[in-house]
Amino acid sequence: MSQNTSGSSSTNYSNAQNSSSTSGGNNENQVLTRSRLQDLVREVDPNEQLDEEVEELLLQIADDFIESTVNASCQLAKHRQATALDVTDVQMHLERQWNMWIPGFGTDELRPYKRAPVTEAHKQRMALIRKQMKKF
């Protein structure tokens, strides 16, 4: 990644589109390699072994996810008529499509915590608990 004048990381999105579409099954272009996948599995459970078919499937899913993320991010950059893919393009895609927020990239702003909506059943249970607590 290169630095542009605004200080955020960016790369030319036409190069990113070309490199993502040529990744195929080539090990040198893969972000997640078979050995790295095995290391990740060992971190979770040292006794776990993946079948070869499972490894292939997980590697393919990771490649597909990365390719779709790069392509969608490039479309966002193109939509805003930019010549460079910015971190905010990737962040926007991940947040909108996958409800993912990767802290530490792009802006340093603190994201407000989103409270989960309270259901009616929960409100009724809490009211019952409060009522019972008042008796004591």
Side-chain angles (χ1 to χ4, degrees):
M1 298 265 182
S2 61
Q3 291 283 40
N4 65 10
T5 56
S6 67
S8 61
S9 299
S10 65
T11 187
N12 188 314
Y13 68 81
S14 62
N15 289 343
Q17 279 182 320
N18 291 339
S19 66
S20 70
S21 63
T22 60
S23 63
N26 201 349
N27 230 7
E28 65 191 33
N29 290 334
Q30 285 183 322
V31 174
L32 181 63
T33 61
R34 188 176 298 269
S35 62
R36 181 65 182 131
L37 177 61
Q38 291 168 352
D39 291 342
L40 289 170
V41 170
R42 273 189 238 112
E43 283 181 29
V44 174
D45 185 0
N47 299 322
E48 186 64 41
Q49 284 290 88
L50 295 179
D51 291 339
E52 194 168 318
E53 295 88 22
V54 174
E55 283 182 2
E56 283 295 321
L57 182 64
L58 289 174
L59 291 170
Q60 185 61 45
I61 290 170
D63 285 344
D64 291 346
F65 174 77
I66 292 167
E67 185 174 340
S68 69
T69 300
V70 169
N71 286 335
S73 302
C74 289
Q75 288 176 348
L76 287 171
K78 192 174 184 180
H79 175 74
R80 64 181 176 86
Q81 298 175 349
T83 59
L85 177 62
D86 198 30
V87 171
T88 55
D89 298 318
V90 178
Q91 280 182 328
M92 182 180 285
H93 170 71
L94 291 176
E95 187 173 6
R96 299 264 171 106
Q97 294 298 318
W98 297 96
N99 199 23
M100 294 171 75
W101 178 259
I102 312 299
F105 291 100
T107 61
D108 292 331
E109 70 185 43
L110 292 175
R111 292 180 44 84
Y113 175 72
K114 293 181 183 177
R115 292 185 62 149
V118 179
T119 63
E120 190 60 37
H122 179 70
K123 289 178 186 177
Q124 290 174 354
R125 283 190 300 270
M126 293 304 292
L128 184 62
I129 291 170
R130 283 189 202 103
K131 184 178 177 181
Q132 292 296 323
M133 295 294 285
K134 286 182 183 179
K135 288 183 180 180
F136 295 108

